Amino acid sequence: MNRTRRKLVRCEECGAVFEPWQEMYSWTEGYRSVFVCSDCFDALFDELTRPERAALIGSEVLTPEALGLPPS
């Protein structure tokens, strides 16, 4: 009898088991990288501040003052 068990891959946030066809997303905080399900990925992304989200896509966060533009 073959009692080989496959290792279950789980979402680091909610613990849901990934099926072989399901997408999983990597999420890095500091030096640690984990896999999360799509729902948890969306929730983690929503928790980021606007400047953090801007940094992820390479957008600069500036003010008119920082650019030396005159006041309105």
Side-chain angles (χ1 to χ4, degrees):
M1 194 186 298
N2 185 358
R3 293 189 180 237
T4 304
R5 290 181 152 181
R6 83 177 163 103
K7 183 179 179 213
L8 297 178
V9 180
R10 294 182 177 273
C11 173
E12 187 70 22
E13 286 290 304
C14 71
V17 175
F18 289 107
E19 296 299 333
W21 59 86
Q22 284 182 303
E23 293 177 337
M24 49 189 206
Y25 298 84
S26 62
W27 188 264
T28 302
E29 284 190 19
Y31 296 106
R32 186 169 178 246
S33 190
V34 297
F35 290 108
V36 296
C37 67
S38 57
D39 290 337
C40 289
F41 178 82
D42 290 343
L44 287 167
F45 194 81
D46 288 344
E47 290 176 11
L48 295 176
T49 64
R50 186 174 292 124
E52 288 171 329
R53 285 181 272 167
L56 284 174
I57 64 167
S59 177
E60 292 183 80
V61 180
L62 303 167
T63 63
E65 181 181 58
L67 292 174
L69 299 174
S72 301

